[in-house]
Amino acid sequence: MSDTALAAATAQIEKARRDSALRPVVRTFFDEETFTATHVAYDPTTRKAAVIDSVLNYEAASGRTRNSSAQAVVDYVRQEKLEVGWQLETHAHADHLSAAPWLQEQIGGKLAIGADIRRVQDVFGKIFNAGTAFARDGSQFDQLFHDGETFTVGSLPAIALSVPGHTPADMAYIIGDAAFIGDTLFMPDYGTARADFPGGDARQLYHSIRRLLSLPPETRLFLCHDYKAPGRDQFAWETTVAAERSGNIHVHEGVPEDEFVAMRTNRDKTLGLPNLIMPSVQINIRAGHMPEPEDNGVSYIKIPVNRL
């Protein structure tokens, strides 16, 4: 990971803090079934937009999908007359299916993820015995971002920062003064992401968090999930670097690396797998597409027995 990338992100955020025209408008849609926050970030001048971490509703018992959560995004984009240029994934989620392909059909946008998705595809391609027909080169996505790579949302500058640890491919997207950081951090009263999935690493997660918390204190942080910490009645998905530095219960300033790694490792041992990990990972490493239909025209999701 490049210090140059972090410096560029810092300069971008500081410039946006001085110029309100460089700050995105953010509208969030929260899916309570999966506790997932989907963000629409747009440039108020050009009305160009990005959709971050969309949700395809999935019923595990029946294997049926529906588009109700994604439809709310489509309705908003059309109502506000936005032009979607990007469908951004912060990582290959293990707790919900991506609706990006369906959203592309409805409202457009290039589908992007971190370039290390190839590592995730390789690991889970083997776990699910996906076969040689499943490409492990990231070609299912339109764009693979590398650390420090820049792009735009209308006239807003944006930069991708690699933040692995939860998975090898986690990416934070800095758009103007707003950082969309996926699962790396939760609200300060809830803590941090787990690091025990295949390819996860608690020590790497610590360094990624410290990287994010090196951004200017006023940086707006938009999270992918919230589970309402004990004593809090409302879901929340927006915080700041300053609030995380001072108040994150797992990794506030002063928490040493070894202490965090021990806490995260021990805590992860107590956690069950997400309810939708089997369908989610299989679909999301395919950029939200279902497995190829079999000779009867039906797509099937595999469940490896005694493997995870």
Side-chain angles (χ1 to χ4, degrees):
M1 294 185 290
S2 168
D3 290 337
T4 303
L6 185 62
T10 297
Q12 172 187 300
I13 292 165
E14 290 175 340
K15 185 175 182 181
R17 296 298 299 172
R18 296 191 298 269
D19 184 351
S20 61
L22 297 177
R23 302 176 204 160
V25 176
V26 181
R27 171 73 160 83
T28 300
F29 298 82
F30 193 76
D31 177 62
E32 289 196 32
E33 291 180 359
T34 61
F35 306 100
T36 303
T38 298
H39 309 289
V40 178
Y42 71 89
D43 173 10
T45 302
T46 66
R47 306 198 76 74
K48 300 283 183 66
V51 178
I52 302 102
D53 291 334
S54 61
V55 175
L56 177 70
N57 303 104
Y58 177 80
E59 185 180 84
S62 66
R64 300 197 67 84
T65 65
R66 65 186 196 281
N67 299 312
S68 51
S69 289
Q71 184 65 55
V73 173
V74 171
D75 293 345
Y76 176 76
V77 165
R78 290 174 176 166
Q79 173 189 317
E80 297 298 320
K81 296 179 170 58
L82 304 179
E83 181 182 345
V84 176
W86 295 100
Q87 301 282 344
L88 301 175
E89 299 286 356
T90 56
H91 62 295
H93 308 274
D95 39 32
H96 70 274
L97 283 65
S98 170
W102 186 81
L103 285 172
Q104 285 184 298
E105 293 176 0
Q106 304 299 312
I107 53 178
K110 292 174 65 177
L111 176 53
I113 200 167
D116 281 331
I117 185 62
R118 292 172 292 202
R119 292 178 56 195
V120 179
Q121 289 177 326
D122 185 56
V123 169
F124 280 98
K126 294 172 182 174
I127 289 174
F128 290 112
N129 197 28
T132 57
F134 170 58
R136 293 158 168 83
D137 58 2
S139 57
Q140 301 88 342
F141 297 85
D142 301 315
Q143 175 87 32
L144 300 181
F145 280 118
H146 293 85
D147 183 50
E149 194 167 349
T150 59
F151 60 106
T152 59
V153 177
S155 61
L156 303 180
I159 188 167
L161 286 184
S162 180
V163 287
H166 173 57
T167 80
D170 280 61
M171 189 68 72
Y173 301 105
I174 320 299
I175 302 173
D177 70 329
F180 301 87
I181 65 172
D183 291 10
T184 307
L185 286 165
F186 298 133
M187 292 299 290
D189 59 1
Y190 203 85
T192 58
R194 65 194 297 167
D196 60 332
F197 295 148
D201 187 297
R203 199 167 296 278
Q204 197 173 46
L205 177 63
Y206 180 87
H207 289 286
S208 292
I209 290 170
R210 288 297 173 216
R211 193 177 200 215
L212 286 174
L213 297 187
S214 296
L215 293 169
E218 303 86 2
T219 305
R220 293 186 288 163
L221 300 181
F222 290 89
L223 318 178
C224 187
H225 294 288
D226 186 55
Y227 304 95
K228 288 197 293 193
R232 175 156 55 84
D233 295 329
Q234 301 295 321
F235 290 110
W237 46 77
E238 180 181 354
T239 182
T240 64
V241 165
E244 294 282 9
R245 284 182 191 171
S246 64
N248 188 287
I249 59 171
H250 293 166
V251 72
H252 56 78
E253 285 185 343
V255 174
E257 179 177 340
D258 287 345
E259 179 180 316
F260 173 80
V261 170
M263 177 282 300
R264 190 68 267 169
T265 301
N266 291 331
R267 182 177 173 83
D268 288 349
K269 290 176 181 177
T270 71
L271 301 177
L273 290 175
N275 290 335
L276 296 183
I277 187 171
M278 297 300 182
S280 295
V281 174
Q282 285 178 80
I283 302 312
N284 295 337
I285 60 176
R286 292 177 165 85
H289 295 283
M290 297 294 166
E292 285 296 315
E294 298 191 10
D295 55 11
N296 62 355
V298 178
S299 293
Y300 289 87
I301 291 169
K302 294 181 178 180
I303 299 179
V305 177
N306 298 326
R307 180 62 178 84
L308 294 179

